[in-house]
Amino acid sequence: MTTGVGIDADRIAAAVRATREVAGLDGGRYGEIATYLPGRCVSGVRIRPESVTIGVIGRYPATVTDIDAGVRAAVGPLDRPLHLHIGDLHIEETGPNILGPS
Amino acid sequence: MTAATRVPHPADADDGQDTGRGAERDLPGRTTLADRVVERTAAQALTEIADVGGTAHRILGDTLSGPPEERSAQVSASVDDTTAALNVRLSIAYPASVASTTHQVRSHLTRRLPELTGLVVTRVDITVTALYLAQPGSGRVR
């Protein structure tokens, strides 16, 4: 939960990473989705006064709607709009196959 | 692989995720997709069709090794606000009809992509790059 103006980027990153539909965080094409903290950087979460942006790698076969709902549920209510960017999809090599057993 | 695109939330997202949906309604935010997500989704959806090159589960781009039926189809997508136009390069197993298989590819993609990404497919351009002979015993379906 947020207190005052501060939003904990680490908490958001951990919550999103734990989401079933998400394979990982994604910093965007140029690494522009990131939060810079003293001495380190949380990639995939950007907190601005007007909005929060989260970049994720989805886990196929989760649909965009699933990923969206999962991330927003994991983050919980915020005091500003939450933008979600799905930058890539992670596809398991051994998914359900219509072919018989190899 | 380029610009992210705005995707509206389907209003009828049902079952169970009420907290997220509620938060979204209070403070709306955008959900955007990279083109690559659409391309991978489409390539993956193509593996669900018989007789199309790329029935094995491989990630897009890893197409230089293995027989045609184990490669991924190559998809490039140009995504506009709520729609996607696809350019697909695939191969077809030899005795299968090219016309009916490509027809199947089009109808499958226009049905599956909206399910998976919420984007409407406006156009599917298909290039059939090869007709491959299904290896007896290895590529047999059921």
Side-chain angles (χ1 to χ4, degrees):
Chain A
M1 197 50 210
T2 56
T3 51
V5 288
I7 296 180
D8 185 358
D10 287 316
R11 180 193 71 82
I12 291 181
V16 171
R17 246 190 240 110
T19 308
R20 190 164 41 87
E21 295 87 358
V22 169
L25 292 166
D26 183 81
R29 197 176 176 199
Y30 304 106
E32 74 277 15
I33 304 173
T35 299
Y36 294 92
L37 299 171
R40 66 199 175 89
C41 160
V42 180
S43 182
V45 180
R46 180 175 60 204
I47 296 168
R48 294 228 169 119
E50 70 281 3
S51 67
V52 173
T53 305
I54 299 178
V56 300
I57 300 168
R59 189 189 295 281
Y60 188 89
T63 67
V64 170
T65 311
D66 293 340
I67 298 168
D68 182 69
V71 169
R72 285 175 199 276
V75 172
L78 297 174
D79 57 359
R80 60 199 86 172
L82 170 62
H83 299 315
L84 176 65
H85 175 71
I86 304 174
D88 204 350
L89 270 192
H90 177 75
I91 296 173
E92 305 283 339
E93 286 288 319
T94 54
N97 199 335
I98 7 173
L99 298 177
S102 50
Chain B
M1 232 63 80
T2 54
T5 309
R6 187 175 172 201
V7 176
H9 298 296
D12 56 346
D14 40 14
D15 48 46
Q17 304 283 1
D18 284 334
T19 45
R21 288 283 139 191
E24 176 205 325
R25 245 177 241 117
D26 296 339
L27 289 167
R30 289 195 319 273
T31 297
T32 54
L33 294 183
D35 284 3
R36 193 193 309 177
V37 173
V38 178
E39 290 164 359
R40 288 205 169 161
T41 305
Q44 196 63 20
L46 285 173
T47 65
E48 298 160 356
I49 309 174
D51 295 330
V52 170
T55 44
H57 290 259
R58 297 232 184 154
I59 292 175
L60 187 72
D62 185 15
T63 57
L64 291 178
S65 60
E69 65 270 28
E70 290 184 8
R71 296 177 194 163
S72 272
Q74 294 177 30
V75 181
S76 68
S78 60
V79 184
D80 185 19
D81 247 17
T82 58
T83 62
L86 304 177
N87 201 322
V88 182
R89 295 169 62 84
L90 49 77
S91 59
I92 293 176
Y94 164 61
S97 155
V98 172
S100 76
T101 306
T102 52
H103 176 77
Q104 210 183 338
V105 166
R106 283 201 178 85
S107 62
H108 189 72
L109 286 178
T110 41
R111 185 175 57 84
R112 281 291 274 160
L113 217 62
E115 283 175 12
L116 292 166
T117 64
L119 296 172
V120 175
V121 177
T122 52
R123 204 184 72 224
V124 182
D125 291 337
I126 301 175
T127 307
V128 179
T129 55
L131 302 180
Y132 65 89
L133 286 169
Q135 297 289 317
S138 70
R140 191 178 295 156
V141 180
R142 282 184 291 278

